Amino acid sequence: MAKDAVRVLVTGAAGQIGYALVPMIARGVMLGPDQPVILHMLDIPPAAEALSGVKMELIDAAFPLLKGVVATTNVVEACTGVNIAVMVGGFPRKEGMERKDVMSKNVSIYKEQASALEKHAAANCKVLVVANPANTNALILKEFAPSIPAKNVTCLTRLDHNRALGQISERLNMQVSDVKNVIIWGNHSSTQYPDVNHATVTTQAGEKSVRELIANDTWLNGEFITIVQQRGAAIIKARKLSSALSAASAACDHICDWVLGTPKGTWVSMGVYSDGSYGIPAGLIYSFPVTCEKGEWSIVQGLKIDEFSRAKMDATANELIEEKSLAYSCLS
């Protein structure tokens, strides 16, 4: 029996990440090769013409799974009936802007979009926030969409997770598919902590720890962390544009694992609402290692945290506490 179409919202759909993301969704990368989708694309009025061009291209691509396209600048129309919302649109920080200025503009955007999702999205809608500051934007969205369960509001740290996997595989000259269980703790910012203490690699001799195989703690505790933290800036310097392709791919990975489940014995990194696990204050959207099953994520418990990791995890939590305070000050 044919499946019912899933309605997927992408905000900022005429932008670079949106332009890379919508064909992936339409091709089945996000929800599987047998899941029909109806794409809802939202952007701001100045991007309306570009958005109509994206819709034309989606039609011209003749994706078999794509059962409809809604392209609009109206937030209510965009949010009506959606099962999954990927929030790519946001106000970027520009030269000379203070953090509070950027936060204030994003608070306004996410307050409006959260209210529309609250009133018009399908029951049990899953939300992924991509736009920076992703963790705090997700927290604001949760605040203004109280009927959406806290576990249904997440932010994207899978891009950082994938970057960490890529760096390990490059260092070892092995397939990235053989590396698993890195962790991104904390904020999607330069304070995030890429942790390899529990990561492993599948070799011909069996499963080995990343630390054992790389055998260079100086690199793993120093340059590796900095490379992952600063990768976005490095790509902007090289491309003169942001990392749209990899961000779109990571968004698909995030939703795919959330909806369809993670492989047994494997965890991924997701920015989720903290329940106090690992001593991280409850009430923050913080990146943890999670497993997913039947559309639900669960934080991996019982991992040993060394002193080095503890300091890094606390530092990124403290940044999120400051961002939360700044965001809430913009609400008054």
Side-chain angles (χ1 to χ4, degrees), residues 162-179 201 210 214 219 224:
N162 288 350
R163 285 167 171 166
L165 292 174
Q167 288 302 308
I168 296 299
S169 69
E170 289 277 295
R171 183 82 177 189
L172 293 172
N173 194 27
M174 299 183 74
Q175 294 296 312
V176 72
S177 56
D178 290 330
V179 187
V201 181
V210 163
I214 289 183
W219 183 79
F224 163 73

Side-chain angles (χ1 to χ4, degrees), residues 2-225:
K3 294 182 176 180
D4 293 335
V6 172
R7 292 182 179 270
V8 182
L9 166 65
V10 177
T11 71
Q16 283 227 74
I17 296 174
Y19 186 69
L21 178 59
V22 292
M24 293 184 187
I25 298 170
R27 195 175 286 281
V29 175
M30 179 177 280
L31 294 172
D34 62 346
Q35 177 58 66
V37 294
I38 297 171
L39 271 168
H40 288 225
M41 302 192 300
L42 175 69
D43 219 310
I44 56 176
E49 190 173 5
L51 189 64
S52 70
V54 177
K55 180 177 180 178
M56 289 182 218
E57 287 204 78
L58 286 168
I59 292 167
D60 292 352
F63 295 109
L65 292 171
L66 187 60
K67 302 305 179 187
V69 182
V70 176
T72 183
T73 60
N74 182 292
V75 67
V76 171
E77 183 183 7
C79 292
T80 298
V82 297
N83 308 104
I84 294 167
V86 186
M87 317 301 284
V88 177
F91 191 89
R93 187 169 184 173
K94 298 180 180 177
E95 191 174 353
M97 288 187 74
E98 298 293 330
R99 282 176 69 211
K100 186 165 185 177
D101 298 330
V102 183
M103 194 72 74
S104 179
K105 289 191 176 290
N106 278 297
V107 163
S108 176
I109 292 168
Y110 276 82
K111 184 176 177 181
E112 179 190 24
Q113 293 180 352
S115 298
L117 286 170
E118 166 83 3
K119 294 173 184 172
H120 303 288
N124 209 34
C125 176
K126 286 178 164 57
V127 182
L128 167 61
V129 176
V130 176
N132 289 320
N135 299 59
T136 305
N137 285 343
L139 197 63
I140 293 300
L141 189 146
K142 181 196 166 296
E143 184 79 16
F144 288 96
S147 72
I148 296 177
K151 289 198 77 168
N152 281 25
V153 179
T154 65
C155 82
L156 187 71
T157 57
R158 182 61 175 269
L159 176 54
D160 309 298
H161 181 100
N162 288 350
R163 285 167 171 166
L165 292 174
Q167 288 302 308
I168 296 299
S169 69
E170 289 277 295
R171 183 82 177 189
L172 293 172
N173 194 27
M174 299 183 74
Q175 294 296 312
V176 72
S177 56
D178 290 330
V179 187
K180 68 177 185 180
N181 294 351
V182 298
I183 300 168
I184 303 297
W185 298 102
N187 196 6
H188 175 62
S189 76
S190 60
T191 67
Q192 64 175 268
Y193 171 44
D195 177 5
V196 300
N197 287 323
H198 311 279
T200 61
V201 181
T202 301
T203 72
Q204 290 184 336
E207 204 164 81
K208 304 286 186 183
S209 78
V210 163
R211 281 206 181 270
E212 177 188 351
L213 286 177
I214 289 183
N216 187 335
D217 285 349
T218 301
W219 183 79
L220 286 170
N221 291 344
E223 187 181 353
F224 163 73
I225 292 173

